[in-house]
Each structure stands twice: as structure tokens, then as C-alpha cells.
Amino acid sequence: MAVSRRRNTATDSRHTTMHIHRQIDALRSALADAGRIAFVPTMGNLHAGHIALIEAAREHADCVVASIFVNRLQFAPNEDFDRYPRTFEADSAALSAAGAHQLFAPDEIALYPEPQRYQVVPDPDQADILEGHFRPGFFNGVATVVMKLFQIVRPDVALFGKKDFQQLMVVRNMVRQFAMPIQIIGHATLRDSDGLALSSRNGYLSAEQRAEAPRLHRQLQAVRAELSGGCQDWLGLEARAMAELSKHGWRPQYIAIRRRADLKSPALSDRELVVLGAAFLGGTRLIDNVEVDV
Ligand code: PAF
């Protein structure tokens, strides 16, 4: 299937025809002579953050491949796999308009024709903390599907949003440890004007929750300001930010000040830090992070 869109910006009048593939073999054939490939894996329900990844990908390659696949392996039984929004028509139109050349959108039978018994188990030091602590098995599911997609697409470069900071780190380390010839690029988080990080899950929020939601980012920024000002009472800062969220009806899971390089607790001499947070607002789990150089 092909979706055609005439791009119409002052800087780019290229006519892009995006081809949609449901089967692994069809995608592989289409990519046989594709030249340098940039890849953006997604679970669909796309927002401007995904589109920014596609636009950035075009700077790195001849051919931009996107995927849409809601990966059951990375959802726990009590999570939102079933209600995760499937918005294929809007997503494929947006990807085509952004200049993607190929879209891989397999169903579960095409990607997992038999139970996926061989899986990638990331380093527990990095995958069982923070997100992995609260979502056991999450990074096994992510690493397994990303490995499989990388084997299918064989990209030269792959782009991931920094909102999922730990995911980006796990993927980077997987690629390095398996000596995969893929450059991993982290792209800055896109935010609404009130600071809320764009996320497919923001759509679950009621109007009232949406108004409250930017508080997570504000708390992370408040911690960043304290760190920049020289405060090294990390536990105190984390506890105060969690308490502030709780006071406003959130159920925070963690606010954590970590070393950017490996997400371990920082030493007093560490300069490159990241403050990460995850919290429930009603039934919706939001995550965010801010980087800080102290
Ligand atoms: O970040 C996501 O949307 C997913 O975790 C990914 C990387 C597409 C794997 O399913």
C-alpha cells in the first residue's frame, strides 16, 4: 500500500510516497536498495514528538523507516495494552506528511508468529531500577522487540525520544554490547507550552488532570534549580518533590537524581546528572526527566 503526500513547506517541496508493509519479507524487499536507513520505532498514537523524530531522521539517511507496533511483551497484565489507542489512519497520514518513506506495521502474528521464547535480557543494573523496578519485565519486552525490529530493518541510525531516558540508555547499551552497527540518537523531549512532555498517554487525562499534569515537570525543574544552586542533599530534594506531588493528589513512584551516564546514584564529584520522575495522576502514569549540569 502507498500513501502519497505533497510536502508544501518553504524549505522542502519533495513529494514523498510512503509505502506500508505488514509483512517482514515485504519490508525487507523494499529496503534492499534503500541506501542509508534511519529508523524510528513507535507504538503509534503519534504526537508531535514522534513527528520531530521522523523529521530529524531525514537529516541522517536516504530512507526513513517508521514502525507502528503495540508490543504486548512490554506491558504487564495489569497495564494498558488493550486500551492503548490504535489510530492507524491518522498515524500513517502524519508519518507520510513528515516524510517517512517506509512504514512497517505488522500485526502480532506477523511479528510474533510463534511465542517469542528467545528474549533479550538487559543488564539488571540498568533495567531493574526506576522504570524497571515499577514495571518488572518492561525492558526485556522493549529490548526484545527493538532487537527484532533492528534485525528486520537493519538501520544505520535509529532515533528515540529522551522522554524515555532509561529506554534510550538500555537500547544504547544493547547495541554496544551486541556490536550492532547502528548509531543511536536521542532526541530532545517535545513539550506543550505549559511544560507537559508530549506522550501518547496524555490522551487518557481528563480536562482537570490535564491542567494539573505539568506539575510533574515543574517539580523536576525545581529539583534541577536546587542542584544548579549547589544543593547535594539528593535524598531530601527527592523526598520534597514526591511530597509536593502527593499533596496535589498524585501517587508518585519515584523522583530520582541520577548520574546521566549510567543512572546510578551520583557521587559528590559527578557533574552530569538527570532528574527522573514517574507518578500516577488518577489512573494515568506519567514519566518525565530533566538533565542538569552542576
Ligand atoms: O517508546 C516506545 O514507543 C516503545 O517502547 C518502542 C521503542 C517503540 C518499543 O516498543
Side-chain angles (χ1 to χ4, degrees):
M1 194 197 297
V3 179
S4 189
R5 290 281 181 286
R6 184 169 293 284
R7 295 178 58 73
N8 190 22
T9 66
T11 53
D12 185 355
S13 59
R14 266 187 299 175
H15 186 263
T16 310
T17 299
M18 187 183 75
H19 299 273
I20 301 174
H21 308 277
R22 300 286 185 183
Q23 301 298 330
I24 295 173
D25 288 350
L27 178 72
R28 281 195 168 132
S29 305
L31 295 181
D33 301 317
R36 191 174 156 78
I37 296 174
F39 180 42
V40 179
T42 83
M43 296 205 300
N45 193 26
L46 304 182
H47 50 68
H50 296 108
I51 299 310
L53 293 178
I54 298 291
E55 285 169 353
R58 289 175 42 211
E59 307 298 319
H60 292 277
D62 309 306
C63 172
V64 173
V65 181
S67 66
I68 296 179
F69 181 70
V70 185
N71 175 38
R72 189 186 291 273
L73 292 186
Q74 69 192 71
F75 289 79
N78 61 333
E79 291 184 335
D80 56 344
F81 175 80
D82 287 328
R83 72 176 181 127
Y84 199 87
R86 272 80 168 168
T87 51
F88 184 77
E89 294 305 323
D91 291 345
S92 55
L95 290 168
S96 176
H101 300 96
Q102 309 286 343
L103 170 58
F104 182 47
D107 64 14
E108 286 196 280
I109 301 291
L111 199 65
Y112 297 134
E114 53 187 331
Q116 186 69 32
R117 299 245 182 261
Y118 284 68
Q119 300 207 2
V120 179
V121 182
D123 177 355
D125 281 355
Q126 294 173 346
D128 291 359
I129 59 171
L130 302 170
E131 285 301 282
H133 175 77
F134 288 98
R135 303 182 68 189
F138 171 68
F139 287 115
N140 287 30
V142 169
T144 300
V145 78
V146 171
M147 172 65 88
K148 192 156 188 173
L149 292 168
F150 281 176
Q151 295 302 328
I152 294 165
V153 176
R154 301 254 165 189
D156 298 282
V157 48
L159 293 90
F160 293 80
K162 281 191 179 183
K163 183 177 77 68
D164 299 291
F165 195 91
Q166 193 176 359
Q167 167 173 279
L168 174 61
M169 194 190 67
V170 166
V171 170
R172 261 192 217 293
N173 291 339
M174 176 182 83
V175 162
R176 194 189 64 245
Q177 288 229 327
F178 284 109
M180 302 171 85
I182 305 173
Q183 181 192 0
I184 303 297
I185 295 180
H187 193 277
T189 302
L190 258 70
R191 301 182 179 280
D192 272 338
S193 53
D194 59 7
L196 178 65
L198 299 190
S199 163
S200 300
R201 290 187 168 98
N202 291 351
Y204 296 152
L205 300 169
S206 68
E208 196 185 333
Q209 290 166 341
R210 174 61 191 80
E212 171 61 22
R215 188 180 305 279
L216 177 58
H217 183 234
R218 285 204 300 276
Q219 283 306 314
L220 298 177
Q221 283 182 306
V223 173
R224 175 165 63 187
E226 295 279 357
L227 292 170
S228 298
C231 177
Q232 290 194 312
D233 173 19
W234 300 311
L235 292 180
L237 290 175
E238 292 168 358
R240 282 196 289 282
M242 303 251 295
E244 195 60 30
L245 288 170
S246 301
K247 210 165 80 189
H248 290 87
W250 295 68
R251 282 177 295 123
Q253 289 190 319
Y254 62 85
I255 298 287
I257 299 165
R258 295 297 167 97
R259 282 205 310 227
R260 228 151 53 215
D262 55 11
L263 295 185
K264 292 201 188 330
S265 297
L268 289 175
S269 56
D270 281 318
R271 297 277 165 263
E272 295 182 354
L273 306 180
V274 56
V275 191
L276 308 106
F280 276 95
L281 187 53
T284 304
R285 186 173 184 277
L286 298 177
I287 65 170
D288 201 351
N289 66 80
V290 296
E291 296 176 49
V292 48
D293 294 309
V294 294

